[in-house]
Amino acid sequence: MNLPELAVFLKSRRDRVRPADVGLPTGPRRRVPGLRREEVAQLAALSADYYTELERGRGVQPSAQTLAALARALRLDGDERDHLFHLADRPVPLVAHGPSTHPRPALLGLLDRLTTTPAQIITDLHEPLVQNEPAVALLGRAPAVRGPEASFVHRWFTDPASRAIYPVDDHPHHSRVFVADLQAVAAKRGRDSEVAGLVAALRRRSEEFAALWDTHDVALRRTDHKRIVHPALGIIELDCHSLFSEDGRQRLLWFAAPPGTEGAAQLDLLSVIGTQDMTASFRERRS
């Protein structure tokens, strides 16, 4: 592990990121154009002392998860992210799931600005990449796994518990939407082994999926009206909107409700409740 070079690289990337790029105020008393150490630590969900030790080249041994969080916080592109892992002597994340597993900087920049709106970045196969705190409060924290099992579409058709996020009456609608969206993604990707493997696995494990897949209905999910079951607030009616990356491999989802509606009031209350008092059944759910 090349700790001195890792420290220099982190500082160079920190100096490059402007506060406005990550949704932070510039402020009249800022002495440097880039981010402060404590700001990087906050964005990466690390302690300020831990990150300071990293930049000082001390004996800190960052995990792959920590490196991935730093890559997101510092808006590193793919080559820079790989370089960070090399310096830390950690295996570079495999692209077996496709190049879409590293959040796009442009989408991250928008996510940072949605401080009071539940929002998250997912892949085109509905694998969660990053979510803001309002999204955690609304949907629960995403499972810390990667690959097909992380896909909410996969869990929707293989894990009945994952469906608790929606009222039972809405399950047929969401099943149709998920399958039609996956049909569109499969066509767009062409002969893609990742999509083929996911479809084959779901056809084997779910008769419902197989029947819907054979209808050949196709429709990318750009927007949808959802009723989300929250353990403290009950059913919240919201609109879910999608913003696609240029290559279509990632999506920024955000949830909103028209002003004056009950859903808008519930979102306001959710910002107060946050993630406190969340029950065990609420964890690891995703939209």
Side-chain angles (χ1 to χ4, degrees):
M1 181 176 294
N2 194 336
L3 291 178
E5 284 298 320
L6 176 65
V8 171
F9 183 65
L10 287 172
K11 185 180 185 305
S12 71
R13 299 305 90 181
R14 173 169 65 86
D15 292 341
R16 186 190 61 175
V17 181
R18 300 297 182 263
D21 296 338
V22 294
L24 295 174
T26 301
R29 298 182 181 180
R30 186 175 292 272
R31 297 179 180 178
V32 295
L35 298 178
R36 301 185 179 100
R37 286 175 175 172
E38 58 268 24
E39 291 170 336
V40 176
Q42 179 182 0
L43 291 169
L46 304 173
S47 72
D49 289 341
Y50 182 91
Y51 181 75
T52 297
E53 291 299 293
L54 276 175
E55 274 207 11
R56 289 176 176 171
R58 301 288 174 84
V60 179
Q61 305 286 321
S63 66
Q65 184 178 4
T66 296
L67 295 171
L70 286 170
R72 291 193 295 268
L74 295 170
R75 302 303 183 259
L76 304 187
D77 61 25
D79 292 335
E80 292 171 327
R81 185 273 316 271
D82 291 353
H83 184 61
L84 179 68
F85 275 77
H86 286 310
L87 291 176
D89 196 24
R90 299 291 185 190
V92 175
L94 298 176
V95 296
H97 319 318
S100 60
T101 55
H102 186 58
R104 300 290 189 267
L107 296 184
L108 277 172
L110 288 173
L111 181 67
D112 288 331
R113 287 163 170 77
L114 298 174
T115 57
T116 61
T117 301
Q120 58 195 8
I121 299 174
I122 66 172
T123 70
D124 55 352
L125 299 184
H126 296 259
E127 179 180 345
L129 300 179
V130 62
Q131 59 187 156
N132 63 13
E133 286 306 307
V136 174
L138 177 66
L139 306 168
R141 195 172 300 280
V145 296
R146 284 289 180 260
E149 291 76 15
S151 166
F152 188 72
V153 174
H154 182 277
R155 287 184 286 124
W156 178 262
F157 289 102
T158 61
D159 178 14
S162 68
R163 299 193 174 200
I165 192 173
Y166 299 126
V168 174
D169 291 346
D170 297 350
H171 289 182
H173 164 75
H174 291 297
S175 293
R176 290 192 300 270
V177 169
F178 282 135
V179 174
D181 184 87
L182 186 57
Q183 282 275 15
V185 170
K188 186 172 184 178
R189 284 207 191 185
R191 297 181 180 276
D192 184 282
S193 59
E194 183 183 13
V195 179
L198 177 60
V199 171
L202 289 177
R203 287 184 68 93
R204 288 194 304 269
R205 298 186 60 178
S206 171
E207 293 182 0
E208 179 190 19
F209 176 86
L212 288 170
W213 188 260
D214 289 340
T215 66
H216 300 285
D217 290 340
V218 179
L220 280 175
R221 187 182 71 171
R222 295 179 173 86
T223 186
D224 199 1
H225 186 75
K226 294 176 176 287
R227 296 194 302 160
I228 296 175
V229 180
H230 188 274
L233 302 179
I235 295 178
I236 307 176
E237 291 200 34
L238 300 170
D239 294 318
C240 176
H241 305 279
S242 300
L243 177 65
F244 293 75
S245 61
E246 289 187 4
D247 61 0
R249 296 291 292 270
Q250 292 183 10
R251 308 171 187 184
L252 172 65
L253 306 182
W254 73 96
F255 300 82
T261 63
E262 183 179 1
Q266 288 171 304
L267 282 183
D268 290 340
L269 183 56
L270 187 65
S271 67
V272 177
I273 296 176
T275 57
Q276 64 183 357
D277 297 326
M278 297 298 99
T279 63
S281 63
F282 184 56
R283 291 196 300 267
E284 295 191 352
R285 305 189 316 171
R286 287 293 288 175
S287 165

